[in-house]
């Protein structure tokens, strides 16, 4: 059976628009393909530890040379990567905090980007991602508008970062659905933005 991994990252469990949109998408998938197993992880409320010195030393030590302490330092990261590798579809709901991603989600990403596990380095200096053959969807919620015509377009350090880091790990089938203007736009704009996001999510779920 296909498995979908849904990762939410807002620190506001009850009022988060990114969480609500992510849950809506998962509900679409469950209705359209009930055979899909949905695995959930909330890194906003239960964030992983930030990689530290022990993690870094263990990560760059060949696997067959790692001590039990090194293996322990990487245990959380290994679990998160195994969860990712075992999933066919990846859905991330990510609010924009200060023009980028939440620090909790950055900690999650830092646990995923691992040489030998999610990417390899070739001798000619080219990196190759290992998370191939998976569909990925990023659902974002933003307080202001960051579209092509917005004067804040250059402030968007969220989508570019997510595209870069996911592509680095081998995710090439990646889609984005943005709900923007949720804090600093009028109600008409906000309502239209959310309605459009839900429409896009429905279309993506149907295509998946």
């Amino acid at each position: 059976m296909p498995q979908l991994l849904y990762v939410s990252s807002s620190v506001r469990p009850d009022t988060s628009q990114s969480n609500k949109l992510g849950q809506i998408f998962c509900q679409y998938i469950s209705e359209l393909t009930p055979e899909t197993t949905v695995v959930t992880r909330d890194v906003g409320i239960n964030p992983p530890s930030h990689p530290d010195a022990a993690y870094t030393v263990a990560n760059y030590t060949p696997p067959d040379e790692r001590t039990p302490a090194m293996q322990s330092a990487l245990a959380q990261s290994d679990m998160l990567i195994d969860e990712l590798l075992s999933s066919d579809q990846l859905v991330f709901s990510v609010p924009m905090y200060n023009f980028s991603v939440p620090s909790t989600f950055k900690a999650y990403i830092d646990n995923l980007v691992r040489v030998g596990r999610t990417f390899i380095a070739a001798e000619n200096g080219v990196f190759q991602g290992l998370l191939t053959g998976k569909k990925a969807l990023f659902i974002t919620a933003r307080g202001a508008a960051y579209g092509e015509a917005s004067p804040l377009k250059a402030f968007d350090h969220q989508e570019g970062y997510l595209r870069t880091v996911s592509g680095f790990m081998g995710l090439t089938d990646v889609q984005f659905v943005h709900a923007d203007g949720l804090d600093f736009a009028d109600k008409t704009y906000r309502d239209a933005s959310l309605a459009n996001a839900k429409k896009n999510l429905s279309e993506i779920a149907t295509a998946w």
Side-chain angles (χ1 to χ4, degrees), residues 15-170:
T15 59
S16 165
Q17 292 292 353
S18 62
N19 281 5
K20 291 177 181 177
L21 291 171
Q23 291 161 7
I24 286 172
F25 182 80
C26 289
Q27 183 62 35
Y28 288 155
I29 290 293
S30 295
E31 292 172 355
L32 291 165
T33 57
E35 69 275 13
T36 298
T37 299
V38 178
V39 176
T40 62
R41 176 167 296 282
D42 189 337
V43 301
I45 303 304
N46 298 298
S49 302
H50 289 277
D52 57 13
Y55 171 103
T56 304
V57 171
N59 186 33
Y60 287 100
T61 299
D64 58 353
E65 297 178 16
R66 289 173 186 156
T67 65
M70 289 179 177
Q71 293 170 4
S72 178
L74 295 175
Q76 178 181 232
S77 170
D78 283 329
M79 179 271 292
L80 295 173
I81 292 172
D82 289 343
E83 186 175 66
L84 202 70
L85 291 171
S86 64
S87 300
D88 309 287
Q89 301 166 336
L90 309 173
V91 179
F92 308 96
S93 62
V94 188
M96 176 183 277
Y97 289 171
N98 298 319
F99 312 116
S100 187
V101 301
S103 61
T104 54
F105 192 75
K106 180 62 165 58
Y108 174 69
I109 291 295
D110 287 346
N111 274 276
L112 299 182
V113 182
R114 286 264 308 275
V115 63
R117 297 234 51 198
T118 55
F119 76 94
I120 56 175
E123 292 183 0
N124 60 0
V126 175
F127 295 99
Q128 178 182 344
L130 302 178
L131 299 182
T132 57
K134 301 179 186 298
K135 294 180 181 294
L137 170 64
F138 290 96
I139 304 168
T140 80
R142 302 154 165 221
Y146 297 87
E148 292 297 330
S150 171
L152 296 177
K153 172 63 178 175
F155 287 65
D156 179 6
H157 299 288
Q158 182 190 47
E159 180 174 342
Y161 166 70
L162 292 173
R163 285 192 182 277
T164 297
V165 74
S166 60
F168 182 79
M169 292 187 288

